[in-house]
Amino acid sequence: MIPVQFYLVISTLLFFIGVFGFISRKNLIGLLMSIELILNAVNINFVAFNRYLFPNQIEGYIYSLFIIVVAAAETAVAIAIIMNVYRRMGNETVKSIKELKN
Amino acid sequence: MDYSQFLLMKPEISLALTLIVLLIADLFMGEKSKQYFQPLALVLFAAHTAINFCDCCGGSCMAGQSEAFSGMYITSNIHVFVKNMLNVGTLLVFLFSFEWNKKENKEHIAEFYLLMMATLFGMYLMISCGDFLLFYIGLETASIPMATLVALNKKRNESAEAAAKYILTAGFSSSVMLFGISLIYGSCGGSLYFCDVVKNFTAEPFQILAMIFFMAGVAFKISLVPFHLWTADTYQGAPTSVTAYLSVMSKGAAAFAFMVIMWKAFSNIDVKSTFVSWTNILWWIIVITITVGNIFAIRQKNLKRFLAFSSISQAGYIMLGLMSGTAEGMGSMVYYILVYLFTNLGAFGIISNIEDKSGKVGMDDYNGLYETNPKMAVVMMLAMFSLAGIPPFAGFWSKFFIFASAAQAGEYLLVFLALANTIISLYYYLLVVKAMFINKSDTPIATFKSDKMSLIGITVCTVGFLFLGFISQIYEQIIAWSFGI
């Protein structure tokens, strides 16, 4: 059986790829995808911990299911808002949203 | 299953019923009867507020804490009190936005009310959570409708921009928080109930890491300083009533939930280093938050942005209540939020009123306001004095109690730094007063008459921040309901 550390390495990598993507992407949809990567890292963590450390519970599985559902709702709203930005500003890059400042 | 535990959820149930009734009413109301939607929503929500308020004060007080759903949902008098506070604040925001809804938001009146209430529902869950799962659900229920509210004004570029910034940072911060929660799940014995987590929380490095991830996520919501960058842009771009809601209710609920979690889940009484570990982090966060919020507020020219930075520094003051870990700490923090609610909503009420009538939000536009609208100018001045903490007003007493609670814990240096910052804050709050009373202007805001609803709201706020400090029973009652670690 694969030891639990392997899963943690994968999830940590995925987390930092997501954080790096959130900082460096130029496209708003790209930012959204980076957030999804982080959430996937979280899901891997929950499921791996549950399977290996606490096999007679289901709390981690349930939590990851909730995360998937809520993330879907959040993405739907975010996509709608980004569409609105695209309609108003003409493109959907980070540079297009810079009007608000003093 | 014991169905009587649903009775503990009275506030949630009555809010959900209000929401559903309004949703159905919106669906079946014809074009002609649409004009009655707003009064209906106001009356229903006022009834919900009144019922819960009477329930809280009318003798049906609970003894100690009660749990529902095997500890996932926790309620006690202080939880119910915070919920009532949020109800009153939301009602005030509804009053302020009445005129704006009629004029500029004609097509989306129902959405405004329904989304506000959905957000409030999320805050309720967040306040009385006993488990990280319910906390997460409450947080997201509060922040996803919030983003749509920020984007409500579809025709303005700023609104779209502010909403994009809000939803992306909210999503990022909650995913970072979730990563922390997943590490907590693995390292604290495989349970997410606060009472189980705290037994296994022994301040090992891995657990501290998880806790920091979690704190970072929540600090985004309260806009504490390293995580505050979205605040000013979102506050400026959102419709003004939504900004008022965001700056008071959303911040107060998140701060209360943060305190409960830090005390219940991360403060193991048997291992003293657990408490020390997070108070040390919070010490620095408070100092930076107050200072940065104050320094950046000085150079703001837009009043909404100005109040955004002022609310960042106020969030730092609110966090002082966490440092002691005693019932006084919790009580003074709840009292601070209560006073801050009336004061800040009073200021926002005037700003939104003036913006409705003249479309101006710049600080220079307020020059000579005293000549044309003396009553508005005086109320705004009193609100600024109360925010700065000048003695007779409620803002002074709330600051006094929260400093006292931190000093009790021996944090003298922190209290001194916060006090020094109060002086800086006095400077920029007085800038607004100077603009209104001393500066002359060739084109001042014309004299106008406000609508009845905003007048009622502003009066309630003014009475609140003028007299709340003198009614000491309120503070004593809050302290009596509070609990420590």
Side-chain angles (χ1 to χ4, degrees), chain B residues 95-378:
Chain B
L95 289 177
F96 291 143
S97 57
F98 195 83
E99 198 65 20
W100 174 78
N101 270 328
K102 257 196 206 159
K103 278 190 188 138
E104 296 196 22
N105 193 29
K106 267 183 225 148
E107 291 133 33
H108 305 292
I109 291 182
E111 281 87 339
F112 178 81
Y113 283 93
L114 294 173
L115 289 171
M116 279 283 191
M117 287 180 199
T119 319
L120 191 63
F121 189 83
M123 286 170 197
Y124 278 10
L125 294 184
M126 201 158 81
I127 286 167
S128 45
C129 62
D131 175 295
F132 281 110
L133 180 56
L134 193 65
F135 174 71
Y136 171 63
I137 293 170
L139 194 78
E140 290 296 324
T141 317
S143 70
I144 295 176
M146 203 70 232
T148 50
L149 274 173
V150 173
L152 200 63
N153 207 333
K154 268 166 59 183
K155 302 209 173 64
R156 281 178 57 224
N157 287 6
E158 300 96 78
S159 200
E161 179 180 340
K165 282 174 178 167
Y166 182 76
I167 188 80
L168 288 171
T169 43
F172 181 67
S173 68
S174 62
S175 51
V176 170
M177 186 192 81
L178 278 174
F179 196 74
I181 293 178
S182 75
L183 298 184
I184 291 167
Y185 176 72
S187 63
C188 293
S191 171
L192 288 161
Y193 291 95
F194 299 153
C195 51
D196 295 332
V197 168
V198 72
K199 280 179 211 145
N200 297 306
F201 188 76
T202 47
E204 284 161 29
F206 191 62
Q207 292 172 331
I208 300 271
L209 177 75
M211 186 186 74
I212 289 175
F213 273 126
F214 176 78
M215 282 173 87
V218 187
F220 260 108
K221 307 284 171 194
I222 323 177
S223 65
L224 297 175
V225 154
F227 319 104
H228 68 293
L229 293 163
W230 59 276
T231 317
D233 287 351
T234 304
Y235 281 24
Q236 189 190 343
T240 308
S241 41
V242 177
T243 311
Y245 189 82
L246 197 61
S247 79
V248 180
M249 257 64 78
S250 166
K251 193 167 281 193
F256 186 81
F258 184 51
M259 170 171 65
V260 170
I261 292 175
M262 283 336 261
W263 288 6
K264 280 200 177 155
F266 296 119
S267 306
N268 194 339
I269 327 163
D270 302 328
V271 189
K272 188 143 189 320
S273 59
T274 54
F275 182 68
V276 176
S277 67
W278 63 260
T279 38
N280 278 343
I281 303 170
L282 205 63
W283 199 97
W284 286 103
I285 289 184
I286 290 174
V287 171
I288 303 171
T289 305
I290 299 179
T291 317
V292 171
N294 277 338
I295 288 173
F296 279 80
I298 291 176
R299 52 184 283 267
Q300 301 306 322
K301 292 279 172 264
N302 179 307
L303 269 185
K304 274 156 94 178
R305 261 185 112 77
F306 166 84
L307 277 180
F309 279 104
S310 122
S311 85
I312 291 173
S313 80
Q314 299 280 353
Y317 290 116
I318 291 176
M319 286 298 114
L320 278 172
L322 265 81
M323 297 300 285
S324 66
T326 56
E328 279 81 23
M330 177 183 264
S332 61
M333 177 170 162
V334 172
Y335 185 73
Y336 197 100
I337 297 172
L338 176 68
V339 171
Y340 174 65
L341 185 147
F342 282 113
T343 319
N344 219 27
L345 283 185
F348 266 115
I350 289 169
I351 290 177
S352 73
N353 216 328
I354 290 179
E355 197 191 3
D356 275 352
K357 296 288 183 310
S358 65
K360 291 175 178 170
V361 280
M363 202 185 279
D364 297 336
D365 300 327
Y366 278 58
N367 287 350
L369 187 71
Y370 180 66
E371 307 288 328
T372 50
N373 296 293
K375 282 179 199 153
M376 286 278 165
V378 168

